[in-house]
Amino acid sequence: MTIRHLKIFIEVAQCGKMRSAAERLFVSQPTISQAIRELEQHYGVLLFQRIKKRLYITDEGKQLLFYAKDVVEQFDHLEEKMFNLSRTEKVKIGATVTVGECILSDIINQFKIKEPTVEVYSYANNTERIEEKLLNGEIDIGIIEGKIKSPNLISIPKIKDYLVLVCSNQHPFAKKDVINLKELANKSFAMREKGSGTRELFEEYMIKNKVPIKTVFEGNSPESIKREVVENNCLAVISIGLVQKEVQDSKIHIIKNANEGWNRYLSVVYHKDKELTDKIRCIIDIINNYKYLQNYPKFQSGMLINETS
């Protein structure tokens, strides 16, 4: 028994004739006859009395008609809802934590102005997890600060960013205009978790320059890192875009890398086999034109130098 059987039964009951039901449903009369016969066999009851080429619904048929109308109505409602879902355009954006904290909401807001009917899902995690989501087809596009490992993903640098060394205003480094890279050896650092693009860039730089890192705290959010800097006098390396308020409030002191060794780009990433729809291209266009560091004030800062470079 199927919904089609019930729809045919309801039409026959309302018309009183199989020929009329067949005409209304645009099917042959034998098809109508077969469907009614299959229903009667399925439930083991007679649904219509056949008297002089006219059909009269039985008591059992009336019972079925009462329930069938409700079932068909519920089914039609289900169909409408599900097809409406399929017609709703969706875009799934993944972003690394730095991007999520700094620019993701602004990019989504700009996109919604251009495409108000499109539903947006966003997900924030470290570079490693965003890469996994892209490879599994769970998100359409990513915006990351780290390096992509998979050859199946396309990564295009788009937005300039850079890291700064930060300390509290009570830290000895806050009183110095110049700090040598070697002075960072075995100082207490608050670090992002493994898989973070920020952590990977900083660790590669320190390994290259043979300066050991003493990690005393690992956290997966910028807020937890900044709290360790302010409250426990740790050092940290973080995107300049994440410390604007703390610098303005005189809670954090920034130290820039003199040789620009921590400069980087926030990149757009998508699967090489991904179809770039008009909606995804719209997001990329917004990112292309996004104003980021241009809007940040010029902070007074110390300078980190590397005498060996």
Side-chain angles (χ1 to χ4, degrees):
M1 193 275 293
T2 65
I3 290 292
R4 180 171 178 271
H5 283 89
L6 295 181
K7 287 184 174 182
I8 288 173
F9 167 71
I10 292 170
E11 200 63 50
V12 172
Q14 290 174 341
C15 293
K17 292 183 178 180
M18 291 192 183
R19 178 185 296 174
S20 298
E23 290 173 354
R24 290 172 64 98
L25 295 174
F26 302 101
V27 296
S28 67
Q29 187 171 331
T31 299
I32 298 292
S33 301
Q34 182 180 352
I36 298 301
R37 186 165 55 252
E38 288 173 351
L39 267 178
E40 291 178 329
Q41 291 172 350
H42 180 77
Y43 291 116
V45 296
L46 188 67
L47 298 175
F48 296 100
Q49 291 282 358
R50 296 150 177 88
I51 302 174
K52 294 182 179 180
K53 298 183 180 181
R54 176 108 185 147
L55 299 179
Y56 296 89
I57 192 166
T58 64
D59 288 340
E60 293 82 0
K62 290 175 182 178
Q63 282 282 89
L64 179 59
L65 182 62
F66 175 80
Y67 292 114
K69 285 182 175 179
D70 186 55
V71 170
V72 169
E73 183 180 348
Q74 289 296 320
F75 178 79
D76 288 342
H77 183 66
L78 168 67
E79 290 275 274
E80 180 183 0
K81 289 292 183 182
M82 293 307 297
F83 281 123
N84 283 339
L85 282 177
S86 67
R87 286 192 288 269
T88 301
E89 289 191 83
K90 298 179 182 179
V91 173
K92 298 177 182 179
I93 307 172
T96 47
V97 175
T98 297
V99 174
E101 292 280 342
C102 291
I103 66 172
L104 181 60
S105 61
D106 197 17
I107 287 172
I108 290 174
N109 287 337
Q110 290 187 39
F111 176 73
K112 285 182 175 178
I113 291 171
K114 293 177 178 290
E115 300 288 348
T117 62
V118 178
E119 187 176 302
V120 179
Y121 165 83
S122 59
Y123 171 83
N125 210 311
N126 61 40
T127 300
E128 191 174 88
R129 291 293 295 129
I130 297 300
E131 182 167 352
E132 289 176 11
K133 292 276 188 181
L134 286 165
L135 290 171
N136 293 334
E138 297 175 58
I139 53 178
D140 299 311
I141 188 171
I143 313 169
I144 67 162
E145 79 266 13
K147 294 179 181 177
I148 287 296
K149 308 295 192 304
S150 172
N152 292 319
L153 298 179
I154 294 171
S155 179
I156 307 172
K158 292 291 184 182
I159 301 174
K160 287 183 179 180
D161 184 32
Y162 63 91
L163 304 181
V164 289
L165 178 69
V166 296
C167 63
S168 75
N169 281 329
Q170 276 62 54
H171 194 283
F173 282 179
K175 309 298 187 293
K176 301 178 68 172
D177 294 327
V178 178
I179 294 133
N180 192 282
L181 181 64
K182 292 180 180 179
E183 294 181 68
L184 303 186
N186 297 314
K187 292 293 189 296
S188 296
F189 270 87
M191 299 281 284
R192 282 285 306 280
E193 80 286 359
K194 290 188 180 298
S196 157
T198 295
R199 176 169 180 162
E200 183 179 41
L201 174 59
F202 179 56
E203 284 184 335
E204 287 180 353
Y205 181 88
M206 298 295 272
I207 291 170
K208 178 183 177 182
N209 289 284
K210 300 181 173 60
V211 180
I213 304 169
K214 179 183 176 183
T215 302
V216 298
F217 175 83
E218 285 188 342
N220 60 4
S221 74
E223 292 306 315
S224 66
I225 300 295
K226 290 186 285 187
R227 191 161 50 246
E228 290 299 311
V229 170
V230 173
E231 297 178 6
N232 293 322
N233 228 23
C234 289
L235 298 173
V237 170
I238 194 168
S239 169
I240 183 65
L242 292 171
V243 292
Q244 182 180 18
K245 185 177 186 304
E246 289 78 9
V247 174
Q248 289 174 332
D249 293 343
S250 299
K251 292 182 178 179
I252 279 181
H253 178 73
I254 64 173
I255 300 158
K256 296 182 180 179
N257 190 318
N259 68 0
E260 301 184 346
W262 297 336
N263 288 8
R264 64 182 182 180
Y265 279 87
L266 307 180
S267 300
V268 167
V269 186
Y270 51 88
H271 199 285
K272 66 181 180 64
D273 297 326
K274 180 71 178 178
E275 178 187 356
L276 297 184
T277 64
D278 290 341
K279 305 305 179 284
I280 295 176
R281 292 185 186 278
C282 178
I283 292 171
I284 294 174
D285 186 57
I286 291 170
I287 296 169
N288 283 337
N289 296 293
Y290 190 78
K291 306 299 182 185
Y292 181 37
L293 295 180
Q294 299 95 316
N295 298 328
Y296 280 79
K298 301 295 183 182
F299 297 125
Q300 184 177 359
S301 65
M303 196 62 66
L304 179 74
I305 64 169
N306 181 6
E307 291 181 343
T308 62
S309 62

